[in-house]
Amino acid sequence: MLDFHFLRPWVLLFLIVVVGLCYLIRKQQTEKQQRTDAIANHLAQALTPKQSLFDKIKPIDFTLATAVLLVIAAAGPAWYKQVDNKDDKAPLIVLLKVTQSMQANDIAPTRLIRAKQKLTDLFNYRAGAKTAIFAYASSSHNVLPFTEDSQVFQPFLAALTPEIMPGSHAIATDNLSAAIKQAQELVEKQPYASIVVIADDISQAQVAALNKMQQPFIWWQFSTPEGGTITDENNQLFSDQQGQTLIIKPNSTTLSSLQTATAQEVSLGMQDIVAIDELAQQRYQQKLDENNTQPYQDMAWYFTWPVLLLSALWFRKGWTSISTRKAAQPVNLIVLSTFSMMLSYSPNSDASAADWFFTRDQQGMMAYKNLDYARATTLFSDPQWQAKTLFESGRYIEAAKIYGSLSTIDGFYNRATALLKAQEFEAAIAGFKQVLKQQPDHQNAQRNLAIAQYAYAAVIAQAGGVDAEQSITTEVDGNEISDKQNGESQDYQVADTLSTDAKEQWMRSVDSQMGDFLKNKFATEANNQGRK
């Protein structure tokens, strides 16, 4: 409430007029009640019983209160800043350590496997929130940019192993500072994002570098003070130079040495996931509050209920205080005309009670926030939101048709994503390529195109040698797709597809292919970084 102010303070000048008129009317009414020609005034005052405080309250006082509330509401009271998508969850940038030390077994089955499982739970818990993920060891690499689709992460997470990471595979490998630098570049584009580091430990050299960078982050620690052992491919325990079993323990002084880290230990249940989400949400809200460029929200609607309660008394005879004197009429006209405009809406005969107060899109948004996507679809008139609710309800083909009619980059991208979710891989590939022709640096389209291509290749492999090109026909307005479309917007329609069983098999083979893809990608990036 320290930021309380009025968006339209000049409207408060009407308070002078309203209070003045009500004062004159009340004074005239009081004088009229006290004036009598039958007996002397001093005798009338002596014979008149004393009135209680309640008896002194008159209808004009309620009229004054109603008018004052209306003027205050019209002035636009505000005390907190407007936030678009204020119900959204905080964006997260996840930095996952993928090294040999993360193979220790003190957190069953291993630190890395458990971290992947926890990440999956975190993504599902934060469904619909923006999340990006990096993998780091001796170098750092962006696995996926920001995305709201929690299911997209699964093949990438499954493919992340120490073997695909370039550079040194030593147990003590750690280059968290490089990952933090890359995350900072992403924070510049998404300033409200929080960084979550998933690691068993942080080396002392990295602690010094991180303290110098002064970048706040949440350290989700996957290790125990007792440490754990590592086994090789032959299930043999790693040993040290003296031939003793190697036990990987975290440094007990690391956390106290970090200046900008907030620690969160791994738990058996959901406590750590909830805690991390709450920390990110608190930072998100704090940064939003610090953003002075956001406009304040008009809170005039808070005054609706007291005004309606006061106006309900006007049904009593004489409560409007309409006097024969002309001075009494302006206040009543102001109040009555305001409420006439508020109540002048006449709904159709088939409209619901909610139509008196909310538009169809507003009702659709309420249904959407309540996860009632079926009802929201029927309420929204905005095609963008119609498509979004269809997408959320799993009606991907219908959503794709609407997205395709929007004729925008976002519309084409969302259409291709809906087709990918519907497992219409070839049409999705064509759709993402269409987006990249018009916007080559569209990172989400690049990522999803890679997923669609791997999925499509897996479908072909699982088809038992059947030529997938013959079993899938992709048409544009009844014609086959041609590469010579000069980037023009087209509406791709899939006429026939492979069987559902064949499509569902792609997940079983895509993991190994994704591992090869990431290994080559990381190696190329590491070489480029080395040249710089």
Side-chain angles (χ1 to χ4, degrees), residues 439-456:
Q439 189 174 330
D441 59 345
H442 199 297
Q443 293 183 344
N444 289 345
Q446 294 171 359
R447 177 205 65 214
N448 283 356
L449 175 60
I451 294 173
Q453 287 173 334
Y454 274 108
Y456 186 51

Side-chain angles (χ1 to χ4, degrees), residues 244-480:
Q244 300 294 323
T245 300
L246 184 63
I247 300 178
I248 310 299
K249 293 183 179 181
N251 191 327
S252 59
T253 63
T254 300
L255 181 59
S256 59
S257 302
L258 289 168
Q259 298 175 357
T260 58
T262 302
Q264 175 59 54
E265 294 182 355
V266 64
S267 66
L268 293 177
M270 293 286 291
Q271 297 90 338
D272 51 350
I273 292 174
V274 174
I276 286 175
D277 183 64
E278 288 179 351
L279 280 172
Q281 203 66 28
Q282 290 172 3
R283 294 185 180 184
Y284 177 61
Q285 191 60 49
Q286 181 181 0
K287 290 179 181 178
L288 286 177
D289 293 339
E290 293 172 354
N291 185 1
N292 294 325
T293 62
Q294 287 291 95
Y296 280 87
Q297 185 171 351
D298 192 339
M299 304 304 295
W301 65 272
Y302 269 99
F303 295 84
T304 302
W305 297 111
V307 167
L308 289 175
L309 289 174
L310 290 171
S311 64
L313 298 173
W314 288 15
F315 288 96
R316 297 190 61 181
K317 184 178 181 180
W319 202 261
T320 54
S321 305
I322 296 178
S323 171
T324 55
R325 296 176 179 264
K326 294 183 178 180
Q329 297 177 0
V331 173
N332 296 289
L333 290 176
I334 292 173
V335 178
L336 290 173
S337 61
T338 302
F339 276 97
S340 297
M341 289 187 291
M342 291 173 61
L343 302 176
S344 61
Y345 173 71
S346 177
N348 297 327
S349 58
D350 59 345
S352 64
D355 293 327
W356 284 80
F357 305 101
F358 305 103
T359 66
R360 302 288 286 180
D361 282 334
Q362 288 173 331
Q363 295 176 57
M365 182 58 67
M366 293 176 189
Y368 179 82
K369 290 181 178 180
N370 290 329
L371 306 182
D372 188 357
Y373 301 128
R375 182 168 180 269
T377 302
T378 62
L379 290 170
F380 277 123
S381 59
D382 184 275
Q384 181 77 26
W385 279 103
Q386 279 184 342
K388 188 172 180 63
T389 52
L390 287 169
F391 186 94
E392 295 292 350
S393 60
R395 297 157 64 181
Y396 302 121
I397 298 300
E398 296 176 63
K401 291 180 180 179
I402 297 179
Y403 277 132
S405 66
L406 298 180
S407 299
T408 62
I409 291 292
D410 288 340
F412 294 143
Y413 167 74
N414 290 334
R415 177 186 174 280
T417 302
L419 290 171
L420 178 59
K421 294 287 287 185
Q423 297 185 340
E424 304 292 355
F425 300 126
E426 190 181 17
I429 291 170
F432 289 127
K433 287 182 177 179
Q434 180 188 15
V435 173
L436 293 173
K437 282 183 180 179
Q438 301 182 50
Q439 189 174 330
D441 59 345
H442 199 297
Q443 293 183 344
N444 289 345
Q446 294 171 359
R447 177 205 65 214
N448 283 356
L449 175 60
I451 294 173
Q453 287 173 334
Y454 274 108
Y456 186 51
V459 170
I460 295 175
Q462 293 295 332
V466 177
D467 187 358
E469 296 292 342
Q470 297 177 0
S471 59
I472 297 183
T473 304
T474 306
E475 298 182 353
V476 182
D477 298 331
N479 300 320
E480 292 185 0

